[in-house]
Amino acid sequence: MDITRRSLLRLTGGLALASAVPGLAACGDGSATSVGNAGKGLAPLPTYTPINLVKPDLPGTAQGVQDAFLTYPQKLAQTVDGKPGDGSVVTCMVITYGTAPSPAASNKLWTAINEALGVDLRLTLVPAADLNAKYATMMAGGDLPDIIATIDLAMSNALQFTQAKCADLTEFISGDAIKDYPNLANLPTISWQNVGRIGGRLYGVPVPRPQLAGVMFGNREKLETAGVKMGLGVSTAQFAEGLAKLATGKQFPLGGNNFSENIHLGAAGVPSNWVLADGAFTSRYENPVYPEVLQRLRDWYAKGYFYPDLLSTQATQANTFFMNGTTLTLGGGIGGYPGMVSGVGDAFTVDFVRPYGDDPTPWLGNGVFSNSGRGGFTALKKASPERIKMLLRVLNFLAAPFGSKEYELINYGVAGVHFTTGADGDPLPTALATTGGENKTNLPLQYIAAAPYVLYLPGNADATRRSYQAQQEIVPIGVGDPSYGLVSPTQAAQGTKLNQQITDVTNAIITGKRPVSDWSGAVSQWKSQGGDAIAKELAEQHAANH
C-alpha cells in the first residue's frame, strides 16, 4: 500500500491514543455500555433560541442555504455584558491553517481579545497535518488544556477519552440551561444533533459550519472557456472533455491535497457516506458505482488531469497552486471561499464548480467543523462548576453572531488598527492585518467557538452572490449522512485505522499502483475487520435515538 507521511501520522496518532491513555483500552472494547447511547436516557439537546440582529439581504432556507449580507451592518449590537472571564490564565489547544502569530504581548489583536474576554488566553496552535498525532500525545500525557478545540470524531478513541477525561457539560447546557449562554443557544439544533451525545450525556460544544461543506472551487474563466459552465446540467462526458482541453502538462485542471472522492462520488449519484434503508446501514464502499468512479479517476490521473504530486502536497501549498493558476480547481470546505477570493484578487473569478453528471447527489455535511469532515466539538477539562461556567462564558463570547461588536472584534479586529471602513461601510483590512499577520487566520479563534455561518465578503458583494447562488442550486439536491450524531463504539475505537486502510487502497488504485479489481477485496477486509460491526451498531443507535 502507498502510505504517505500524512496518512501514517493520522494512523499512528489514533493508535497511540488507543494504547497510551490509561483506561481507554477497556473503554474501546466495542461495548455499547461505554460511549454508546442505546438503552440510556438521553440528555435533552440545548434549547434553540435564535438571535436575529440583522435582516439578511438574501435570506437563507430551512434546507441549509445560508443568510447572505451584501453590506456590513451600520449599527452593531452588544451581546455580552461585561467581561466573561475571571482574570485567570486559560489554556487552549486549537487547530491552525495559518502561520504562527506574534506573541500576545506584542500582538494588538490578541491583546484586545484578551482584554475583552477578561482572561489571559494562551493558545497551543496545531497545524492541520499534525492534528491527530499532537492530540494523541496531549491526551496520553494527561496534562490537558482548559479548552480542547476541536476533538475530531474521526480520531480513534476520541469519545472514550472525552468521557473519561473531559467535563460532563449536561447540567450546564442541556435544555433551557443553555439560555445562560445566549450565543451558544443561538447555535442551530442540527449542529448539536450531529455532535451527538456520549453515553447519553453532553460533553461538547459544536463549532457550526454550513451544511454544504465539501465543495470544489473553480477558475471560472478557464473552465467556462473549456465548456464547463458554472451551473447544473454539465454531463460527466462534458466535464471530462473540459478537463482534457485544460490539461497542458504545466496547468492541471484538478488540484487539492487529496482526490476529493466525495465530490466525484456525489456526481455519480453515490448518496453520501452511509445509506439508511429499513433500519439498516450500508456503507458507501459497498455501492456498486464506487469502482466505476475509481476507474474514472484513475483514467483522469493517467491523463494528467490531476496535479501529479497531489498526495504529497500540504493544504497551504494546494491553495497556492490554485491561486497562482497551476491548478484550476480546488476541493475544500466552503468556509475557505473568502480566503480564496481575497488571495486571487482580480486574477480570475473564483466560483463553485457545480456537481456534474446526469443525477448528482452532492453530499451535505453535518453542520460542524472538523479537520476530517467527520465532525468535532470543543470540550473542556474537568474543573469546578464555577470554572466550567466561566469557560462556557468565554465560548459564548466567541460565538457572538454577525452584527455584534464581539463578532467584529474576533473576525476583523480593532477599528482603525486592523481595519478601516470603506465607502460602503465594509471593514477593509489594514497592513497590520494582512502583511502584519494580525488576523483570524493566524489567530484562529473561530475553531474554538463560532457563530452560525453567514455569507458576507467585505467589499465584494458579487462574490457573496456567487456563493449564495451556488448554495441555492446545490443544497436542495444534496444528501445528508444518517450516521451523523450516532455513536458506534467500534468506529470510535477502530474507525481511523479502518478508514485509513481504505484510503490507502483508494489512492493506490487511482495512482495506478494497484488494479481496480483490488477494490472488492479491500471492502471485504474492511467489513470483516469492523465495518459490519459499525453498521450494526449504527442501526442500534439509530433505533435508540429515534
Side-chain angles (χ1 to χ4, degrees):
M1 297 182 185
D2 179 29
I3 301 180
T4 65
R5 178 180 179 275
R6 187 183 297 110
S7 67
L8 184 62
L9 278 173
R10 288 197 296 262
L11 179 57
T12 55
L15 295 177
L17 175 59
S19 61
V21 182
L24 290 198
C27 293
D29 59 4
S31 170
T33 60
S34 55
V35 296
N37 296 306
K40 299 178 181 177
L42 301 180
L45 294 174
T47 302
Y48 176 52
T49 309
I51 299 174
N52 299 303
L53 299 181
V54 190
K55 183 179 179 180
D57 297 297
L58 304 171
T61 68
Q63 288 179 301
V65 176
Q66 304 301 298
D67 288 337
F69 298 85
L70 303 179
T71 59
Y72 195 65
Q74 294 184 355
K75 294 183 178 180
L76 302 179
Q78 187 84 33
T79 66
V80 176
D81 294 329
K83 298 179 181 181
D86 59 5
S88 65
V89 171
V90 172
T91 56
C92 175
M93 183 175 285
V94 61
I95 194 171
T96 181
Y97 297 96
T99 58
S102 57
S106 58
N107 188 308
K108 294 180 180 179
L109 177 59
W110 201 337
T111 298
I113 287 172
N114 276 346
E115 175 65 23
L117 290 175
V119 298
D120 180 3
L121 182 62
R122 300 183 182 180
L123 302 176
T124 298
L125 302 177
V126 184
D130 300 331
L131 184 71
N132 280 10
K134 180 69 174 180
Y135 270 42
T137 301
M138 177 270 294
M139 292 173 178
D143 184 15
L144 305 182
D146 296 301
I147 301 173
I148 308 169
T150 60
I151 292 180
D152 198 322
L153 295 177
M155 187 188 299
S156 293
N157 284 301
L159 302 184
Q160 288 90 336
F161 164 80
T162 304
Q163 187 181 57
K165 302 295 182 180
C166 297
D168 181 343
L169 303 179
T170 305
E171 68 174 289
F172 306 103
I173 63 175
S174 180
D176 286 347
I178 196 67
K179 293 182 179 180
D180 287 342
Y181 314 98
N183 293 332
L184 298 182
N186 180 49
L187 304 185
T189 297
I190 189 170
S191 295
W192 295 101
Q193 286 175 334
N194 289 339
V195 161
R197 305 170 180 86
I198 304 174
R201 309 290 287 176
L202 301 174
Y203 282 84
V205 175
V207 179
R209 288 296 184 269
Q211 284 186 261
L212 179 58
V215 295
M216 183 180 286
F217 304 122
N219 181 322
R220 188 172 72 184
E221 287 78 10
K222 288 287 184 72
L223 289 168
E224 290 193 336
T225 297
V228 181
K229 66 176 182 178
M230 295 295 106
L232 296 174
V234 175
S235 69
T236 301
Q238 289 171 327
F239 189 74
E241 289 170 4
L243 299 182
K245 295 176 183 177
L246 293 167
T248 65
K250 294 182 179 180
Q251 156 184 292
F252 305 92
L254 298 174
N257 66 337
N258 57 62
F259 289 109
S260 298
E261 297 100 314
N262 60 320
I263 299 292
H264 303 290
L265 289 166
V270 177
S272 195
N273 190 41
W274 288 91
V275 174
L276 173 63
D278 299 325
F281 279 75
T282 303
S283 168
R284 72 182 189 273
Y285 302 143
E286 301 175 74
N287 192 296
V289 177
Y290 208 113
E292 296 177 18
V293 175
L294 290 180
Q295 182 64 61
R296 181 178 301 126
L297 299 184
R298 178 189 180 94
D299 292 342
W300 289 356
Y301 182 85
K303 293 176 180 178
Y305 299 173
F306 283 101
Y307 181 74
D309 298 324
L310 176 143
L311 292 178
S312 61
T313 300
Q314 298 291 330
T316 52
Q317 290 177 304
N319 293 346
T320 299
F321 291 153
F322 175 69
M323 290 187 286
N324 69 19
T326 301
T327 60
L328 304 180
T329 64
L330 176 70
I334 193 171
Y337 181 63
M340 289 297 104
V341 171
S342 175
V344 167
D346 296 329
F348 60 86
T349 303
V350 182
D351 207 339
F352 295 82
V353 181
R354 308 303 198 266
Y356 60 89
D358 296 329
D359 190 20
T361 54
W363 296 5
L364 298 180
N366 59 359
V368 294
F369 165 78
S370 82
N371 188 47
S372 69
R374 177 63 194 168
F377 54 86
T378 293
L380 304 178
K381 181 174 70 173
K382 288 183 178 181
S384 68
E386 292 73 21
R387 185 158 181 84
I388 294 298
K389 291 177 182 178
M390 186 274 291
L391 294 174
L392 286 171
R393 291 196 299 270
V394 169
L395 298 184
N396 180 71
F397 184 103
L398 298 179
F402 182 78
S404 69
K405 295 179 180 179
E406 299 88 351
Y407 182 98
E408 180 177 85
L409 174 63
I410 295 163
N411 287 273
Y412 306 115
V414 178
V417 178
H418 300 101
F419 71 89
T420 58
T421 301
D424 296 326
D426 295 301
L428 303 178
T430 63
L432 181 60
T434 53
T435 57
E438 293 195 13
N439 54 60
K440 68 175 185 178
T441 299
N442 298 334
L443 192 67
L445 304 180
Q446 70 271 25
Y447 301 120
I448 302 173
Y453 191 86
V454 299
L455 301 177
Y456 169 69
L457 282 80
N460 201 329
D462 287 342
T464 301
R465 290 189 181 94
R466 288 197 298 274
S467 183
Y468 183 78
Q469 179 63 32
Q471 288 203 27
Q472 282 192 309
E473 294 180 24
I474 301 173
V475 169
I477 63 172
V479 177
D481 182 345
S483 75
Y484 286 147
L486 302 180
V487 173
S488 158
T490 300
Q491 180 172 274
Q494 304 175 38
T496 300
K497 177 182 177 181
L498 290 170
N499 290 336
Q500 190 59 50
Q501 290 173 348
I502 285 283
T503 297
D504 291 333
V505 174
T506 298
N507 291 341
I509 289 174
I510 294 174
T511 56
K513 295 180 175 65
R514 297 182 63 165
V516 178
S517 58
D518 280 2
W519 178 248
S520 60
V523 174
S524 295
Q525 183 181 43
W526 176 85
K527 285 167 61 65
S528 65
Q529 292 184 351
D532 284 341
I534 293 172
K536 181 176 181 292
E537 291 164 1
L538 289 176
E540 293 171 348
Q541 297 294 318
H542 184 270
N545 287 358
H546 296 80

